[in-house]
Amino acid sequence: MGHGHSHGNHGVVEVGQRARNYLLGILIAFGVLSVAGMIWLWPTSAEVDDAMTRVIDAPGLTYVDATVRSVEDGCESSVETPSGTASCITLEVDFLSGPEEGQQHPLELTGANVHSGLQVGDRIEVARVDTADGVHYNFSGVNRMPVLIVLGLLFTVAVLAVARWRGLFALVGLVVAAGVLIGFMLPAIIVGKPGMAVALAGSTAIMFVVLYVAHGVSLRTSAALAGTLLGLVVTTALGAIAVRAARLSGFADENEYDLAQLAPAINFQDLLMVGIIIGGLGVLNDVTITQASAVWELRAAAPQWTRAQVFAAGMRIGRDHIASTIYTIVFAYAGASLTVLLLLHFTTREPLALLSTEMFAGEGVRTLASAIGLILAVPITTGIAAITVGPARVPATGPEHGESE
Protein backbone atom coordinates (compact mmCIF):
# COMPACT_ATOMS: atom_id res chain seq x y z
CA MET A 1 0.00 0.00 0.00
CA GLY A 2 1.28 3.46 -0.87
CA HIS A 3 1.30 6.26 1.64
CA GLY A 4 0.74 9.98 1.60
CA HIS A 5 0.94 12.77 4.14
CA SER A 6 -1.60 15.14 5.62
CA HIS A 7 -0.24 18.50 6.74
CA GLY A 8 -1.90 21.06 8.98
CA ASN A 9 -2.16 22.02 12.61
CA HIS A 10 -2.04 18.39 13.73
CA GLY A 11 1.54 17.61 12.85
CA VAL A 12 2.66 15.47 9.92
CA VAL A 13 0.47 12.39 9.77
CA GLU A 14 1.08 9.52 7.38
CA VAL A 15 -2.03 8.34 5.59
CA GLY A 16 -2.82 5.18 3.68
CA GLN A 17 -3.07 5.82 -0.05
CA ARG A 18 -5.65 3.10 -0.66
CA ALA A 19 -7.76 4.12 2.33
CA ARG A 20 -7.60 7.73 1.18
CA ASN A 21 -8.79 6.78 -2.29
CA TYR A 22 -11.68 4.75 -0.89
CA LEU A 23 -12.64 7.61 1.43
CA LEU A 24 -12.60 10.20 -1.32
CA GLY A 25 -14.51 7.85 -3.62
CA ILE A 26 -17.27 7.41 -1.02
CA LEU A 27 -17.50 11.16 -0.46
CA ILE A 28 -17.66 11.87 -4.18
CA ALA A 29 -20.50 9.35 -4.48
CA PHE A 30 -22.37 11.02 -1.61
CA GLY A 31 -21.77 14.44 -3.15
CA VAL A 32 -23.01 13.39 -6.59
CA LEU A 33 -26.12 11.78 -5.10
CA SER A 34 -26.80 14.90 -3.04
CA VAL A 35 -26.52 17.25 -6.01
CA ALA A 36 -28.58 14.92 -8.23
CA GLY A 37 -31.21 14.62 -5.50
CA MET A 38 -31.45 18.38 -5.06
CA ILE A 39 -31.79 18.89 -8.82
CA TRP A 40 -34.48 16.22 -9.01
CA LEU A 41 -36.40 17.39 -5.94
CA TRP A 42 -36.01 21.17 -6.28
CA PRO A 43 -39.54 22.61 -6.65
CA THR A 44 -40.41 25.36 -9.09
CA SER A 45 -42.00 28.59 -7.88
CA ALA A 46 -45.20 27.56 -9.66
CA GLU A 47 -45.31 24.28 -7.69
CA VAL A 48 -44.84 26.13 -4.42
CA ASP A 49 -47.58 28.65 -5.24
CA ASP A 50 -50.01 25.88 -6.23
CA ALA A 51 -49.32 23.92 -3.02
CA MET A 52 -49.91 26.83 -0.64
CA THR A 53 -53.08 28.47 0.60
CA ARG A 54 -51.82 31.89 1.59
CA VAL A 55 -53.31 33.73 4.54
CA ILE A 56 -54.90 36.96 3.27
CA ASP A 57 -55.63 39.81 5.65
CA ALA A 58 -59.25 40.84 6.09
CA PRO A 59 -60.48 43.81 4.02
CA GLY A 60 -59.61 47.09 5.68
CA LEU A 61 -56.91 45.55 7.92
CA THR A 62 -53.53 47.30 8.01
CA TYR A 63 -50.72 47.45 10.55
CA VAL A 64 -49.21 50.63 11.99
CA ASP A 65 -46.31 51.30 14.36
CA ALA A 66 -46.74 52.95 17.74
CA THR A 67 -44.87 53.61 20.98
CA VAL A 68 -46.23 53.10 24.48
CA ARG A 69 -46.87 56.41 26.29
CA SER A 70 -48.33 54.96 29.51
CA VAL A 71 -49.37 51.63 31.06
CA GLU A 72 -52.26 51.38 33.54
CA ASP A 73 -53.85 48.41 35.29
CA GLY A 74 -57.48 47.70 34.48
CA CYS A 75 -59.72 48.46 31.51
CA GLU A 76 -63.01 50.29 31.08
CA SER A 77 -64.53 47.28 29.36
CA SER A 78 -63.55 44.80 32.11
CA VAL A 79 -66.45 42.81 33.51
CA GLU A 80 -66.75 40.89 36.72
CA THR A 81 -66.47 37.11 36.40
CA PRO A 82 -67.12 34.43 39.04
CA SER A 83 -63.39 34.42 39.78
CA GLY A 84 -63.08 38.21 39.92
CA THR A 85 -62.15 40.95 37.45
CA ALA A 86 -60.47 39.72 34.27
CA SER A 87 -56.76 40.53 34.01
CA CYS A 88 -56.44 43.59 31.77
CA ILE A 89 -54.21 46.62 31.21
CA THR A 90 -54.70 49.82 29.22
CA LEU A 91 -51.98 51.29 27.04
CA GLU A 92 -51.89 54.86 25.85
CA VAL A 93 -49.96 54.83 22.55
CA ASP A 94 -48.54 57.36 20.10
CA PHE A 95 -49.00 56.37 16.45
CA LEU A 96 -45.80 56.53 14.39
CA SER A 97 -47.30 55.66 11.00
CA GLY A 98 -50.64 55.38 9.23
CA PRO A 99 -53.43 57.96 8.82
CA GLU A 100 -53.35 58.75 12.55
CA GLU A 101 -49.59 59.38 12.71
CA GLY A 102 -48.78 61.71 15.62
CA GLN A 103 -52.09 61.04 17.39
CA GLN A 104 -52.71 59.19 20.67
CA HIS A 105 -55.13 56.35 21.36
CA PRO A 106 -55.89 53.90 24.21
CA LEU A 107 -55.51 50.14 23.70
CA GLU A 108 -56.86 47.44 26.00
CA LEU A 109 -54.83 44.25 26.45
CA THR A 110 -56.10 40.98 27.92
CA GLY A 111 -54.85 37.41 28.14
CA ALA A 112 -51.21 36.48 27.67
CA ASN A 113 -50.26 39.96 26.41
CA VAL A 114 -50.83 41.34 29.91
CA HIS A 115 -47.84 39.35 31.17
CA SER A 116 -45.33 40.40 28.51
CA GLY A 117 -43.96 43.23 30.68
CA LEU A 118 -44.75 46.16 28.37
CA GLN A 119 -43.21 49.45 29.53
CA VAL A 120 -43.30 53.10 28.55
CA GLY A 121 -41.24 53.66 25.40
CA ASP A 122 -41.72 50.16 23.97
CA ARG A 123 -42.38 50.07 20.24
CA ILE A 124 -45.37 47.94 19.25
CA GLU A 125 -47.43 47.02 16.20
CA VAL A 126 -51.13 47.88 16.14
CA ALA A 127 -53.77 46.28 13.90
CA ARG A 128 -55.92 49.00 12.34
CA VAL A 129 -59.33 47.81 11.08
CA ASP A 130 -61.33 50.27 8.98
CA THR A 131 -65.00 49.21 9.08
CA ALA A 132 -68.37 50.77 8.25
CA ASP A 133 -68.89 51.77 11.89
CA GLY A 134 -65.47 53.40 12.27
CA VAL A 135 -61.83 52.54 12.80
CA HIS A 136 -60.90 49.94 15.46
CA TYR A 137 -57.45 49.33 16.94
CA ASN A 138 -56.08 46.12 18.46
CA PHE A 139 -52.71 45.20 19.89
CA SER A 140 -50.83 43.04 17.35
CA GLY A 141 -47.38 42.49 18.82
CA VAL A 142 -44.12 43.92 20.13
CA ASN A 143 -41.31 45.04 17.83
CA ARG A 144 -38.62 42.63 19.02
CA MET A 145 -36.20 43.25 16.16
CA PRO A 146 -33.87 45.54 18.18
CA VAL A 147 -33.32 42.79 20.76
CA LEU A 148 -32.76 40.16 18.08
CA ILE A 149 -30.34 42.41 16.21
CA VAL A 150 -28.33 43.15 19.35
CA LEU A 151 -28.15 39.46 20.27
CA GLY A 152 -27.14 38.60 16.71
CA LEU A 153 -24.37 41.18 16.78
CA LEU A 154 -23.13 39.97 20.19
CA PHE A 155 -23.13 36.40 18.89
CA THR A 156 -21.14 37.42 15.81
CA VAL A 157 -18.63 39.45 17.85
CA ALA A 158 -18.17 36.60 20.35
CA VAL A 159 -17.59 34.07 17.57
CA LEU A 160 -15.08 36.29 15.75
CA ALA A 161 -13.27 37.35 18.92
CA VAL A 162 -12.78 33.82 20.22
CA ALA A 163 -12.59 31.68 17.06
CA ARG A 164 -11.27 34.37 14.68
CA TRP A 165 -10.94 33.09 11.10
CA ARG A 166 -12.43 29.72 12.02
CA GLY A 167 -15.38 31.54 13.51
CA LEU A 168 -15.81 33.62 10.36
CA PHE A 169 -15.77 30.51 8.19
CA ALA A 170 -18.26 28.86 10.54
CA LEU A 171 -20.62 31.82 10.12
CA VAL A 172 -20.27 31.57 6.34
CA GLY A 173 -21.17 27.88 6.56
CA LEU A 174 -24.15 28.73 8.73
CA VAL A 175 -25.42 31.21 6.14
CA VAL A 176 -25.10 28.60 3.38
CA ALA A 177 -26.88 26.02 5.55
CA ALA A 178 -29.74 28.46 6.17
CA GLY A 179 -29.95 29.07 2.42
CA VAL A 180 -30.26 25.34 1.67
CA LEU A 181 -32.88 24.90 4.40
CA ILE A 182 -35.00 27.89 3.40
CA GLY A 183 -34.41 27.82 -0.34
CA PHE A 184 -34.65 24.08 -0.98
CA MET A 185 -35.77 21.88 1.91
CA LEU A 186 -38.79 23.83 3.18
CA PRO A 187 -40.29 24.53 -0.29
CA ALA A 188 -39.74 20.88 -1.31
CA ILE A 189 -41.58 19.68 1.79
CA ILE A 190 -44.42 22.13 1.16
CA VAL A 191 -45.08 20.76 -2.34
CA GLY A 192 -45.09 17.17 -1.07
CA LYS A 193 -41.70 15.87 -2.26
CA PRO A 194 -40.47 12.70 -0.46
CA GLY A 195 -39.46 14.02 2.95
CA MET A 196 -36.58 11.65 3.70
CA ALA A 197 -35.05 12.14 0.26
CA VAL A 198 -35.30 15.91 0.71
CA ALA A 199 -33.76 15.75 4.18
CA LEU A 200 -30.88 13.49 3.14
CA ALA A 201 -30.06 15.47 -0.02
CA GLY A 202 -30.21 18.82 1.75
CA SER A 203 -28.44 17.66 4.92
CA THR A 204 -25.62 16.07 2.89
CA ALA A 205 -25.09 19.30 0.99
CA ILE A 206 -25.13 21.29 4.24
CA MET A 207 -22.56 19.00 5.87
CA PHE A 208 -20.21 19.19 2.88
CA VAL A 209 -20.24 22.99 3.02
CA VAL A 210 -20.23 23.40 6.80
CA LEU A 211 -17.40 20.97 7.53
CA TYR A 212 -15.06 21.98 4.71
CA VAL A 213 -15.65 25.71 5.15
CA ALA A 214 -15.34 25.70 8.95
CA HIS A 215 -12.52 23.14 9.33
CA GLY A 216 -10.67 23.32 6.03
CA VAL A 217 -10.25 20.85 3.18
CA SER A 218 -8.19 17.94 4.53
CA LEU A 219 -8.36 14.19 4.98
CA ARG A 220 -9.10 14.74 8.66
CA THR A 221 -12.20 16.75 7.74
CA SER A 222 -13.08 14.19 5.08
CA ALA A 223 -13.00 11.39 7.65
CA ALA A 224 -15.30 13.42 9.91
CA LEU A 225 -17.61 14.12 6.97
CA ALA A 226 -17.82 10.42 6.07
CA GLY A 227 -18.67 9.58 9.69
CA THR A 228 -21.30 12.34 9.76
CA LEU A 229 -22.98 11.11 6.56
CA LEU A 230 -23.04 7.49 7.73
CA GLY A 231 -24.43 8.67 11.07
CA LEU A 232 -27.16 10.49 9.16
CA VAL A 233 -28.00 7.28 7.29
CA VAL A 234 -28.27 5.38 10.58
CA THR A 235 -30.42 8.09 12.16
CA THR A 236 -32.70 8.21 9.12
CA ALA A 237 -33.15 4.44 9.00
CA LEU A 238 -33.88 4.15 12.73
CA GLY A 239 -36.21 7.15 12.67
CA ALA A 240 -38.17 5.82 9.70
CA ILE A 241 -38.62 2.41 11.32
CA ALA A 242 -39.58 3.93 14.69
CA VAL A 243 -42.05 6.46 13.23
CA ARG A 244 -43.89 3.77 11.32
CA ALA A 245 -43.70 1.14 14.08
CA ALA A 246 -45.09 3.64 16.61
CA ARG A 247 -47.83 4.64 14.12
CA LEU A 248 -46.98 8.32 14.54
CA SER A 249 -49.03 10.63 12.32
CA GLY A 250 -46.90 13.75 12.78
CA PHE A 251 -49.88 15.67 14.22
CA ALA A 252 -48.85 16.49 17.78
CA ASP A 253 -50.51 19.88 18.37
CA GLU A 254 -52.66 22.52 16.73
CA ASN A 255 -49.75 23.94 14.71
CA GLU A 256 -49.67 20.82 12.54
CA TYR A 257 -53.43 21.02 11.95
CA ASP A 258 -53.13 24.70 10.96
CA LEU A 259 -50.25 23.88 8.61
CA ALA A 260 -52.25 21.06 7.03
CA GLN A 261 -54.96 23.55 6.06
CA LEU A 262 -52.42 25.91 4.48
CA ALA A 263 -50.27 23.27 2.72
CA PRO A 264 -52.35 20.09 2.21
CA ALA A 265 -49.61 18.39 0.16
CA ILE A 266 -47.30 17.99 3.18
CA ASN A 267 -46.79 14.44 4.44
CA PHE A 268 -46.58 14.94 8.20
CA GLN A 269 -44.91 11.60 8.86
CA ASP A 270 -42.17 12.71 6.49
CA LEU A 271 -42.09 16.11 8.19
CA LEU A 272 -41.47 14.40 11.53
CA MET A 273 -38.60 12.48 9.93
CA VAL A 274 -37.12 15.67 8.49
CA GLY A 275 -37.22 17.19 11.98
CA ILE A 276 -35.34 14.20 13.39
CA ILE A 277 -32.63 14.46 10.73
CA ILE A 278 -32.15 18.23 10.90
CA GLY A 279 -32.31 18.27 14.70
CA GLY A 280 -29.33 15.94 14.96
CA LEU A 281 -27.04 17.65 12.43
CA GLY A 282 -25.28 20.05 14.77
CA VAL A 283 -24.43 17.57 17.53
CA LEU A 284 -23.47 14.90 15.00
CA ASN A 285 -21.08 17.31 13.32
CA ASP A 286 -19.53 18.19 16.69
CA VAL A 287 -18.93 14.55 17.63
CA THR A 288 -17.45 13.43 14.31
CA ILE A 289 -15.01 16.33 13.90
CA THR A 290 -13.84 15.81 17.50
CA GLN A 291 -13.25 12.10 16.92
CA ALA A 292 -11.39 12.64 13.66
CA SER A 293 -9.21 15.30 15.28
CA ALA A 294 -8.51 13.01 18.24
CA VAL A 295 -7.35 10.18 15.94
CA TRP A 296 -5.12 12.57 13.97
CA GLU A 297 -3.53 13.85 17.18
CA LEU A 298 -3.02 10.30 18.47
CA ARG A 299 -1.31 9.22 15.25
CA ALA A 300 0.92 12.32 15.29
CA ALA A 301 1.88 11.70 18.92
CA ALA A 302 2.36 7.93 18.59
CA PRO A 303 3.36 6.99 15.02
CA GLN A 304 4.49 3.57 16.26
CA TRP A 305 0.97 2.54 17.32
CA THR A 306 -0.97 0.13 15.19
CA ARG A 307 -4.32 1.15 13.74
CA ALA A 308 -6.05 -0.99 16.38
CA GLN A 309 -4.25 0.87 19.13
CA VAL A 310 -5.14 4.25 17.63
CA PHE A 311 -8.77 3.15 17.30
CA ALA A 312 -8.90 1.92 20.91
CA ALA A 313 -7.40 5.14 22.25
CA GLY A 314 -9.78 7.21 20.10
CA MET A 315 -12.75 5.26 21.45
CA ARG A 316 -11.70 6.00 25.02
CA ILE A 317 -11.97 9.68 24.13
CA GLY A 318 -15.22 8.99 22.27
CA ARG A 319 -16.87 7.35 25.27
CA ASP A 320 -16.37 10.49 27.33
CA HIS A 321 -17.71 12.56 24.46
CA ILE A 322 -20.77 10.34 24.11
CA ALA A 323 -21.57 10.64 27.81
CA SER A 324 -21.58 14.45 27.71
CA THR A 325 -23.29 14.76 24.33
CA ILE A 326 -26.19 12.50 25.27
CA TYR A 327 -27.06 15.00 27.99
CA THR A 328 -26.88 17.77 25.39
CA ILE A 329 -29.45 16.07 23.16
CA VAL A 330 -31.85 15.06 25.93
CA PHE A 331 -31.78 18.42 27.71
CA ALA A 332 -32.11 20.32 24.43
CA TYR A 333 -35.29 18.44 23.59
CA ALA A 334 -36.53 18.68 27.18
CA GLY A 335 -35.99 22.44 27.18
CA ALA A 336 -37.95 22.78 23.95
CA SER A 337 -40.77 20.61 25.34
CA LEU A 338 -41.19 21.99 28.86
CA THR A 339 -44.83 22.85 28.23
CA VAL A 340 -45.52 19.30 27.14
CA LEU A 341 -43.70 17.87 30.17
CA LEU A 342 -45.62 20.12 32.56
CA LEU A 343 -48.89 18.67 31.29
CA LEU A 344 -47.96 15.42 33.00
CA HIS A 345 -48.76 17.07 36.34
CA PHE A 346 -52.30 18.11 35.39
CA THR A 347 -53.96 14.85 34.52
CA THR A 348 -55.37 11.89 36.40
CA ARG A 349 -54.07 9.44 33.80
CA GLU A 350 -51.03 7.32 34.52
CA PRO A 351 -47.79 8.91 33.24
CA LEU A 352 -46.89 5.74 31.35
CA ALA A 353 -50.22 5.87 29.51
CA LEU A 354 -49.55 9.47 28.49
CA LEU A 355 -46.10 8.61 27.16
CA SER A 356 -47.71 6.59 24.37
CA THR A 357 -49.75 9.53 23.09
CA GLU A 358 -48.63 11.32 19.91
CA MET A 359 -47.45 14.39 21.81
CA PHE A 360 -45.02 12.49 24.05
CA ALA A 361 -44.14 9.53 21.83
CA GLY A 362 -43.13 11.85 18.98
CA GLU A 363 -40.59 13.62 21.18
CA GLY A 364 -39.38 10.26 22.49
CA VAL A 365 -38.76 8.90 19.00
CA ARG A 366 -37.10 12.15 17.95
CA THR A 367 -34.73 12.12 20.93
CA LEU A 368 -33.85 8.43 20.94
CA ALA A 369 -33.32 8.11 17.17
CA SER A 370 -30.95 11.09 17.20
CA ALA A 371 -29.13 9.73 20.25
CA ILE A 372 -28.62 6.27 18.73
CA GLY A 373 -27.34 7.75 15.48
CA LEU A 374 -24.97 9.95 17.48
CA ILE A 375 -23.64 7.04 19.54
CA LEU A 376 -22.99 4.87 16.49
CA ALA A 377 -21.32 7.76 14.65
CA VAL A 378 -18.49 7.69 17.22
CA PRO A 379 -17.10 4.21 16.40
CA ILE A 380 -17.87 4.73 12.69
CA THR A 381 -15.89 7.99 12.52
CA THR A 382 -13.10 6.68 14.74
CA GLY A 383 -12.76 3.58 12.57
CA ILE A 384 -12.70 5.58 9.32
CA ALA A 385 -10.08 7.97 10.72
CA ALA A 386 -7.96 5.14 12.17
CA ILE A 387 -7.89 3.37 8.81
CA THR A 388 -7.17 6.58 6.91
CA VAL A 389 -4.15 7.65 8.98
CA GLY A 390 -2.21 4.61 7.83
CA PRO A 391 -0.25 1.81 9.55
CA ALA A 392 2.40 2.08 12.22
CA ARG A 393 5.81 3.30 11.07
CA VAL A 394 7.78 1.00 13.39
CA PRO A 395 6.75 -2.02 15.47
CA ALA A 396 4.95 -0.95 18.65
CA THR A 397 6.96 -1.38 21.84
CA GLY A 398 6.11 -1.15 25.49
CA PRO A 399 2.82 -1.95 27.18
CA GLU A 400 -0.25 -2.63 25.05
CA HIS A 401 -2.19 0.56 24.37
CA GLY A 402 -5.12 -0.99 22.62
CA GLU A 403 -6.94 -2.53 25.58
CA SER A 404 -10.28 -1.03 26.45
CA GLU A 405 -11.08 0.37 29.80
Side-chain angles (χ1 to χ4, degrees):
M1 179 186 297
H3 306 295
H5 293 85
S6 174
H7 302 272
N9 297 329
H10 301 267
V12 179
V13 175
E14 187 173 319
V15 297
Q17 189 73 27
R18 185 179 301 172
R20 182 187 68 176
N21 292 340
Y22 285 147
L23 174 61
L24 295 180
I26 291 172
L27 291 180
I28 290 171
F30 270 111
V32 170
L33 288 174
S34 174
V35 172
M38 290 179 68
I39 293 173
W40 172 51
L41 296 167
W42 201 294
T44 63
S45 57
E47 288 178 316
V48 176
D49 289 337
D50 291 341
M52 295 175 62
T53 303
R54 297 189 182 275
V55 179
I56 301 175
D57 290 335
L61 173 61
T62 56
Y63 296 94
V64 297
D65 295 325
T67 55
V68 178
R69 173 179 284 267
S70 65
V71 181
E72 297 181 2
D73 292 332
C75 301
E76 291 184 3
S77 60
S78 295
V79 294
E80 290 292 330
T81 63
S83 60
T85 303
S87 179
C88 182
I89 61 175
T90 299
L91 304 180
E92 187 73 23
V93 302
D94 294 321
F95 289 116
L96 302 177
S97 62
E100 293 80 18
E101 182 178 353
Q103 299 180 22
Q104 299 175 15
H105 195 278
L107 289 178
E108 295 183 354
L109 273 67
T110 59
N113 293 321
V114 174
H115 308 288
S116 61
L118 285 169
Q119 298 179 358
V120 174
D122 285 346
R123 186 161 177 168
I124 63 173
E125 184 181 66
V126 178
R128 181 184 185 276
V129 186
D130 195 350
T131 65
D133 60 348
V135 179
H136 301 274
Y137 303 96
N138 293 291
F139 176 79
S140 175
V142 178
N143 181 5
R144 299 180 175 90
M145 286 307 299
V147 176
L148 295 176
I149 291 172
V150 169
L151 285 176
L153 291 174
L154 288 175
F155 168 74
T156 303
V157 170
V159 169
L160 296 178
V162 176
R164 299 182 182 178
W165 284 109
R166 281 291 176 87
L168 177 61
F169 292 144
L171 291 176
V172 171
L174 190 61
V175 171
V176 173
V180 173
L181 178 63
I182 297 172
F184 164 65
M185 297 176 73
L186 297 185
I189 292 168
I190 288 173
V191 303
K193 302 287 186 179
M196 282 186 289
V198 170
L200 285 174
S203 298
T204 299
I206 288 173
M207 286 295 97
F208 264 91
V209 174
V210 166
L211 280 167
Y212 281 130
V213 169
H215 302 285
V217 178
S218 66
L219 286 178
R220 175 182 63 89
T221 306
S222 297
L225 176 58
T228 301
L229 298 179
L230 292 175
L232 276 178
V233 172
V234 172
T235 301
T236 303
L238 286 173
I241 294 170
V243 167
R244 283 161 177 74
R247 303 295 187 266
L248 293 172
S249 66
F251 289 87
D253 57 38
E254 62 183 15
N255 291 325
E256 279 80 17
Y257 289 97
D258 292 340
L259 184 58
Q261 299 299 315
L262 299 173
I266 294 178
N267 182 317
F268 281 84
Q269 273 195 330
D270 281 357
L271 184 60
L272 178 58
M273 277 302 310
V274 174
I276 292 173
I277 295 168
I278 295 176
L281 284 181
V283 181
L284 193 59
N285 166 34
D286 172 50
V287 168
T288 56
I289 198 67
T290 299
Q291 286 305 112
S293 295
V295 170
W296 243 252
E297 293 289 356
L298 288 167
R299 168 54 83 216
Q304 76 279 7
W305 282 5
T306 66
R307 285 186 174 120
Q309 291 172 324
V310 172
F311 175 81
M315 282 303 300
R316 286 196 289 272
I317 298 172
R319 292 186 192 104
D320 287 336
H321 202 188
I322 287 173
S324 61
T325 309
I326 289 300
Y327 292 126
T328 301
I329 289 181
V330 173
F331 288 137
Y333 281 122
S337 308
L338 279 180
T339 303
V340 175
L341 296 175
L342 286 171
L343 292 175
L344 288 171
H345 295 273
F346 298 93
T347 179
T348 57
R349 293 188 64 187
E350 292 292 330
L352 288 178
L354 282 176
L355 289 177
S356 66
T357 62
E358 180 94 23
M359 183 183 300
F360 294 98
E363 290 300 325
V365 167
R366 191 192 310 269
T367 303
L368 295 174
S370 295
I372 294 171
L374 168 70
I375 292 169
L376 296 181
V378 170
I380 290 172
T381 306
T382 307
I384 292 173
I387 292 172
T388 304
V389 294
R393 287 189 194 170
V394 296
T397 57
E400 179 64 29
H401 298 282
E403 59 184 3
S404 60
E405 293 181 341

